[in-house]
Amino acid sequence: MMRHKTNSDPINRNLIQVKYISAGAAWVSRCQPNAYHIWVPQEYSTHMDASLCILSPRSVSDHKMQSTAGYSISFSEEAILVLRCQHLQPFGAVSSLASGERVAIADAVSHRAMVRTLEKMMEESGRQDACGTDRNLALLKVLIVQISRQYALRKAAAHISAQGRIVERFTELLCSQDCARHAVKLLADELAISPMSFNAIIRNTLGDTPGRLVQHSLLQKAKHAAMHSQESMKEVAARLGFSDMAHFSKFFSAGAGMTFTDFKRTYQHF
């Protein structure tokens, strides 16, 4: 059944924006916060200037691009949850990718596949109807998988430092169902490092404090439950470790910009 779309529908307005940009330097200035922003070069090259650039939410202002033609795509964190892709790095509840880090594209075939996906998305973006939106969501999932594969190849080939292992373990705990709320204490105990050292490593690598990243991870889990489960707000709050319903309600509304009930009503039919 085709969904009825209204002007206030966040799927139409906010989830996905894709365009071709002739000058990479203009890309960062057009980015908006609280969304993922990805730049894919128009031409394949082994030079790092022609690699993927991924800006995670809240990192937009930290980076500038060189003047290289390419494709820009931005999408909200809600898109990751709608598509159930929060298990794919570097698009997890907390990305293990350093802010603005480049990811080399393995080969020309992989690059061409990503460009084709983006070109199809640009075509669908012009349709302005429910079918076009549905197809773009499906294409976005394809692109996320393509990028995740490139990230996995990069990770397998790279030498991971001691600090890198700490960051990876932290993101693993945040993505787990039961450990996110206690990730900071669990990891500090597990690695026998001081809280000050741990906080410095995470903040320098991921661009935020461990405490705020834990809160963000909990919010993403709550959003995912609102979208894809039949759990009540009380059940979600209890599962995520909130004993006070009023506290959870305030926490969710502040992070999502709407109440749990309104968020569920807005997104659950996708």
Side-chain angles (χ1 to χ4, degrees):
M1 180 181 295
M2 184 177 294
R3 297 193 298 265
H4 175 66
K5 298 287 181 179
T6 68
N7 290 334
S8 62
D9 192 335
I11 296 292
N12 270 337
R13 297 186 295 109
N14 299 326
L15 274 186
I16 308 170
Q17 295 180 10
V18 58
K19 62 186 72 174
Y20 174 80
I21 295 181
S22 57
W27 178 60
V28 172
S29 65
R30 297 177 187 175
C31 288
Q32 299 298 319
N34 301 319
Y36 283 96
H37 301 277
I38 298 172
W39 184 83
V40 178
Q42 182 180 18
E43 302 294 337
Y44 172 73
S45 170
T46 57
H47 196 280
M48 281 306 291
D49 284 344
S51 58
L52 287 168
C53 184
I54 305 173
L55 300 183
S56 59
R58 298 171 301 281
S59 68
V60 173
S61 61
D62 297 335
H63 303 278
K64 299 294 181 184
M65 290 290 295
Q66 295 191 11
S67 297
T68 306
Y71 298 86
S72 164
I73 180 168
S74 61
F75 48 90
S76 69
E77 292 178 292
E78 280 72 25
I80 297 292
L81 299 175
V82 166
L83 296 171
R84 301 175 187 257
C85 290
Q86 68 275 11
H87 62 290
L88 295 175
Q89 283 291 352
F91 303 105
V94 174
S95 173
S96 59
L97 191 70
S99 182
E101 189 171 342
R102 296 295 192 96
V103 177
I105 302 172
D107 52 61
V109 174
S110 299
H111 172 263
R112 185 57 192 158
M114 281 187 279
V115 168
R116 284 175 179 167
T117 302
L118 286 161
E119 288 173 343
K120 289 178 183 177
M121 293 182 76
M122 290 176 66
E123 292 175 9
E124 296 298 338
S125 295
R127 295 181 184 274
Q128 299 297 319
D129 59 20
C131 291
T133 299
D134 287 343
R135 285 191 289 267
N136 247 357
L137 280 169
L139 287 166
L140 177 60
K141 188 165 188 175
V142 171
L143 183 67
I144 287 170
V145 171
Q146 290 170 336
I147 292 172
S148 184
R149 286 174 179 166
Q150 298 303 309
Y151 178 74
L153 290 171
R154 162 200 171 276
K155 182 178 173 182
H159 170 72
I160 301 176
S161 66
Q163 290 191 0
R165 285 192 290 272
I166 291 173
V167 172
E168 284 198 0
R169 182 63 180 137
F170 177 62
T171 56
E172 286 173 3
L173 288 173
L174 288 185
C175 291
S176 69
Q177 189 63 33
D178 302 318
C179 298
R181 194 171 182 83
H182 309 290
V184 176
K185 184 179 186 306
L186 285 171
L187 192 54
D189 291 346
E190 179 181 311
L191 300 175
I193 59 176
S194 70
M196 184 176 295
S197 297
F198 177 69
N199 285 340
I201 290 169
I202 297 301
R203 183 160 194 165
N204 290 339
T205 305
L206 299 181
D208 212 339
T209 66
R212 282 199 290 264
L213 292 171
V214 167
Q215 294 300 302
H216 180 69
S217 176
L218 290 171
L219 178 63
Q220 294 303 96
K221 286 179 169 61
K223 286 180 177 180
H224 183 267
M227 287 181 181
H228 299 299
S229 81
Q230 298 302 317
E231 290 178 293
S232 66
M233 184 171 73
K234 182 177 181 180
E235 290 169 330
V236 173
R239 179 165 58 79
L240 295 179
F242 289 84
S243 57
D244 185 340
M245 276 288 294
H247 180 206
F248 176 78
S249 179
K250 184 177 180 180
F251 164 79
F252 189 93
S253 296
M258 63 181 80
T259 66
F260 183 90
T261 301
D262 288 343
F263 188 91
K264 194 178 189 76
R265 186 182 300 116
T266 300
Y267 286 101
Q268 197 167 51
H269 60 288
F270 292 104

